[in-house]
Amino acid sequence: MKKALLALFCIFMFGEIFSQTEFETHKNGLIYPDATMSKLGKIVDSLNLKFKTCELNKVFYANSQTIGHIITLENTDCKEARKDLDNNISFEDFIKKYPAAKVKKEVLLLKFKFEDYNENEIISFSEIELNDGYGLKIQRPYKDNLYNKAVKNTWLYDYYEKTSYSKESVTAFYFPENFSSIPIHDNYAKLIGYADCLIDTTSTKLLKEAKQGWFKTPENWQNLSDKKKANLLKELRSKIVIGGCSMDDSPRIHAMYIALLSAETTNWEVFLKSHLDIMNDRFERVSDGSYAYGRRKTYIKELEELNINVVNLLLGISLRMENPTKNHYYGNISRLGRAITESKDKKVFEEAILAMIEDNNLDDYNRVSAYFLYLSYNNHLEDQTEQQNNLDKVSKAVAKLPDYLKTKIKIKDIKTR
């Protein structure tokens, strides 16, 4: 009932706004006026000397990954199977003893740690699903000895008892080899370093003491003194705005004003993070329907008007690693793909992403991520002929992936989607 009332409230409050253009476009065709773009341009020019001295030779390591197997057993012999798993039965003996088990062999598995909403540290062991659907995940509370221990020829499983709405089941990973993390090749490490340098990982968009709330920016903020603009920016950065529903643009508008005031007060670091948040739609919402995605633009052109290497920036934030710099900015693969369709350099992006998929020097997970980035880009193109040509290109790139990956990827013809 509460969700229904919230949906009705959102339709009433934001329905008219939702049908309009998201942000005002100025005479220059951008969401920032000429005066703001001029200030940003001067900031970037003054920062270029700094960028030349950035640490671009740091060693980054790929996410910890391995090739493993998955089994799923439902309704029969689950308790017995659980005992066998505890006793570390061999994989071959398990599938012989439990022929009813569903088995997926040679899948890409990833291991990483994160904090949940309660700030508890969690280890996630995840299957990287290569087509439609969701991969298996098994999570455990973080412990150094669990994260770093050898897992070769061992199992990790979840057991679920039968309930009124679910079957008794066991799902498990089997690890023929240990997880490993290889250094990311210099060519890609420099992209990550460039992104870190440009975005400046020593600062954050929101202040550390920021709390959930809402703040209305005064209409005459452009006429405020520099000191008052700086104070206003501080107030905006102290608020975490959460959207009430798909049609609630409050988080994006809030980020827009942070970006504008950051430009006015020559705070490049906060500006870029705010603009990237808008481009990546990196905001919390109570609910968010897929029908709302199309309206939220990416605004890559605003970055391309500045003297920065947008190709290197976006590829740098698309790469994943085990040891990111604190406050490293990760881009959303789906949103980055859409942004690239609006880029003046989309053909440069195309070639670079295809090269990443083909590159044996890059770890498997980042090659698969590049594949997903290319698919997202292609899916957001409007020309079906161009889309089909791109599918032919990516098919050739996929053919250079390791056998266990390329044999599982199913590229759908544009006409069958």
Side-chain angles (χ1 to χ4, degrees):
M1 183 64 181
K2 288 183 178 179
K3 289 184 177 180
L5 289 173
L6 179 60
L8 288 172
F9 173 78
C10 286
I11 291 171
F12 176 75
M13 291 297 294
F14 304 108
E16 183 178 349
I17 299 173
F18 191 73
S19 63
Q20 300 170 359
T21 302
E22 183 178 28
F23 296 130
E24 176 189 358
T25 302
H26 297 276
K27 291 181 180 179
N28 58 8
L30 309 174
I31 59 174
Y32 305 121
D34 283 333
T36 299
M37 293 299 295
S38 177
K39 288 185 178 182
L40 289 170
K42 291 176 181 177
I43 296 170
V44 171
D45 289 343
S46 68
L47 289 174
N48 274 338
L49 287 175
K50 171 191 167 186
F51 296 154
K52 290 177 182 177
T53 60
C54 278
E55 184 184 359
L56 299 180
N57 296 315
K58 181 177 178 179
V59 178
F60 293 101
Y61 289 88
N63 282 105
S64 191
Q65 53 199 280
T66 191
I67 303 171
H69 310 314
I70 296 174
I71 64 95
T72 304
L73 186 65
E74 293 182 337
N75 275 345
T76 179
D77 299 325
C78 291
K79 288 185 175 63
E80 180 69 18
R82 185 183 183 186
K83 291 178 182 178
D84 283 333
L85 294 175
D86 284 335
N87 291 324
N88 204 38
I89 185 175
S90 73
F91 178 73
E92 292 75 14
D93 287 345
F94 184 95
I95 59 178
K96 287 178 183 177
K97 184 173 180 179
Y98 301 99
K102 295 178 181 177
V103 180
K104 291 174 72 174
K105 292 185 178 181
E106 294 192 320
V107 296
L108 177 59
L109 304 179
L110 203 69
K111 176 179 66 174
F112 60 91
K113 52 187 174 181
F114 68 97
E115 283 191 357
D116 64 14
Y117 287 110
N118 297 316
E119 298 184 350
N120 298 313
E121 289 190 316
I122 304 295
I123 308 173
S124 177
F125 298 84
S126 305
E127 170 197 5
I128 304 305
E129 170 59 45
L130 300 174
N131 301 294
D132 298 333
Y134 297 95
L136 175 65
K137 290 183 180 180
I138 297 179
Q139 297 181 344
R140 295 288 186 267
Y142 176 79
K143 294 178 182 177
D144 280 332
N145 60 340
L146 175 60
Y147 190 81
N148 295 310
K149 81 170 188 176
V151 296
K152 183 176 180 179
N153 296 329
T154 66
W155 296 88
L156 180 71
Y157 73 89
D158 277 335
Y159 168 78
Y160 300 95
E161 293 184 346
K162 183 178 180 180
T163 68
S164 57
Y165 54 87
S166 64
K167 303 174 182 177
E168 183 185 26
S169 65
V170 174
T171 56
F173 290 128
Y174 181 77
F175 308 113
E177 298 291 339
N178 288 314
F179 282 86
S180 63
S181 174
I182 63 172
I184 293 177
H185 193 277
D186 287 351
N187 293 344
Y188 304 107
K190 287 178 179 177
L191 297 179
I192 298 169
Y194 177 77
D196 281 349
C197 191
L198 193 66
I199 297 169
D200 190 346
T201 57
T202 63
S203 64
T204 56
K205 183 186 81 172
L206 298 177
L207 298 175
K208 187 176 180 180
E209 62 272 19
K211 296 181 179 179
Q212 185 177 338
W214 184 77
F215 184 82
K216 182 174 175 58
T217 306
E219 292 184 4
N220 66 338
W221 66 269
Q222 296 97 327
N223 300 324
L224 298 175
S225 65
D226 290 344
K227 184 176 180 180
K228 288 185 177 179
K229 285 179 181 176
N231 288 335
L232 180 57
L233 175 60
K234 186 175 180 180
E235 289 187 72
L236 287 169
R237 294 178 67 201
S238 69
K239 301 294 182 184
I240 303 171
V241 177
I242 297 177
C245 62
S246 302
M247 291 176 281
D248 182 356
D249 278 349
S250 298
R252 291 174 68 81
I253 293 170
H254 181 245
M256 175 71 160
Y257 278 114
I258 290 178
L260 285 166
L261 279 157
S262 298
E264 288 289 322
T265 55
T266 63
N267 194 328
W268 167 258
E269 295 84 359
V270 176
F271 165 81
L272 186 54
K273 292 179 182 71
S274 298
H275 189 86
L276 287 174
D277 277 355
I278 294 169
M279 191 178 79
N280 282 277
D281 199 33
R282 191 176 180 174
F283 305 105
E284 289 186 60
R285 297 181 177 87
V286 174
S287 64
D288 196 17
S290 58
Y291 58 84
Y293 299 165
R295 180 176 173 274
R296 301 175 193 145
K297 306 303 180 184
T298 62
Y299 308 107
I300 190 175
K301 292 180 181 179
E302 281 71 8
L303 295 180
E304 291 180 331
E305 290 294 315
L306 303 172
N307 187 24
I308 60 177
N309 191 321
V310 176
V311 175
N312 286 358
L313 170 62
L314 299 198
L315 292 181
I317 64 176
S318 75
L319 289 158
R320 271 41 182 173
M321 73 215 80
E322 183 78 6
N323 61 326
T325 306
K326 185 179 180 181
N327 299 321
H328 173 79
Y329 193 102
Y330 283 113
N332 177 294
I333 294 297
S334 177
R335 290 283 293 183
L336 290 178
R338 182 180 170 193
I340 292 169
T341 66
E342 301 168 7
S343 172
K344 64 181 177 63
D345 293 320
K346 68 178 187 177
K347 293 301 179 184
V348 177
F349 272 111
E350 273 188 29
E351 292 176 7
I353 299 168
L354 289 171
M356 290 169 70
I357 299 170
E358 295 177 359
D359 194 347
N360 289 325
N361 290 314
L362 189 60
D363 65 282
D364 291 353
Y365 178 52
N366 272 313
R367 293 175 75 181
V368 170
S369 293
Y371 165 71
F372 288 138
L373 178 59
Y374 195 90
L375 285 191
S376 174
Y377 158 72
N378 200 46
N379 287 342
H380 285 104
L381 292 172
E382 295 181 357
D383 188 322
Q384 287 198 354
T385 300
E386 184 179 5
Q387 284 183 309
Q388 188 59 55
N389 289 337
N390 286 340
L391 289 182
D392 295 338
K393 293 177 185 177
V394 78
S395 295
K396 293 177 181 177
V398 163
K400 297 184 179 181
L401 288 171
D403 287 343
Y404 83 98
L405 293 173
K406 67 184 180 185
T407 55
K408 294 182 179 67
I409 288 176
K410 299 175 183 177
I411 300 176
K412 296 180 181 178
D413 188 279
I414 188 66
K415 297 174 184 177
T416 63
R417 293 183 183 182

